[in-house]
């Protein structure tokens, strides 16, 4: 569940793998894709939507990618999947079948952060300790 930057909208991913956007506080479902495309999201934890099409590998099934989270800077996306992989993408990643970075997750208890060491052009990314990747 994610709120828009202005807290006017809420997006959720359903068990039937549909992304739904609602107006806050009325709860009215928003169906106009042009309006949805213009919303700036404060957070992004959905595995669904045009912004994250690239996280799905060529042979992935809907249930394979379990979680996603955009970094605080809004330029990276981390996903977790059924195979125990943590992957790093540029955000947004609207192109299908993009190349990814595979990451090693370590925790630094003395500074209370999670650090992802990734094997690609990015060295590392720090994420909030409250993420359930």
């Amino acid at each position: 569940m994610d709120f828009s930057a202005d807290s006017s909208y809420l997006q959720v991913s359903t068990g039937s793998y549909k992304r739904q956007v609602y107006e806050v506080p009325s709860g009215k479902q928003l169906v106009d894709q042009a309006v949805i495309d213009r919303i700036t999201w404060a957070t992004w934890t959905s595995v669904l939507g045009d912004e994250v099409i690239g996280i799905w590998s060529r042979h992935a099934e809907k249930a394979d990618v379990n979680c996603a989270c955009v970094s605080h800077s809004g330029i990276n996306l981390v996903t977790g999947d059924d195979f125990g992989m943590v992957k790093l993408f540029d955000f947004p990643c609207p192109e299908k079948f993009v190349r990814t970075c595979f990451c090693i997750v370590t925790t630094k208890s003395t500074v209370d952060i999670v650090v992802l060491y990734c094997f690609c052009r990015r060295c590392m990314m720090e994420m909030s300790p409250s993420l359930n990747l």
Side-chain angles (χ1 to χ4, degrees):
M1 178 170 58
D2 300 295
F3 281 94
S4 63
D6 64 1
S7 299
S8 297
Y9 301 97
L10 171 77
Q11 78 171 347
V12 295
S13 299
T14 70
S16 60
Y17 300 99
K18 295 185 185 204
R19 175 185 176 202
Q20 296 179 339
V21 177
Y22 296 92
E23 293 178 350
V24 174
S26 71
K28 179 182 173 189
Q29 186 172 356
L30 190 62
V31 293
D32 185 350
Q33 191 60 45
V35 174
I36 293 171
D37 290 343
R38 288 192 304 270
I39 297 172
T40 300
W41 296 100
T43 59
W44 190 283
T45 57
S46 179
V47 297
L48 305 173
D50 292 339
E51 298 85 344
V52 294
I53 288 174
I55 68 173
W56 299 94
S57 66
R58 191 170 310 278
H59 304 290
E61 295 181 15
K62 287 182 179 177
D64 287 348
V65 181
N66 302 310
C67 58
C69 187
V70 172
S71 64
H72 297 292
S73 64
I75 61 172
N76 298 114
L77 173 75
V78 176
T79 64
D81 64 29
D82 279 352
F83 311 105
M85 299 300 298
V86 175
K87 299 177 184 175
L88 179 66
F89 298 88
D90 290 329
F91 184 80
C93 54
E95 296 178 33
K96 289 185 177 183
F97 318 126
V98 297
R99 294 188 67 189
T100 182
C101 301
F102 295 92
C103 303
I104 296 173
V105 179
T106 62
T107 58
K108 304 274 188 182
S109 58
T110 56
V111 290
D112 200 28
I113 60 173
V114 175
V115 178
L116 301 175
Y117 294 97
C118 300
F119 302 98
C120 63
R121 60 187 166 90
R122 291 176 216 81
C123 295
M124 72 178 173
M125 182 173 93
E126 295 180 3
M127 301 291 286
S128 166
S130 61
L131 297 178
N132 294 320
L133 293 177

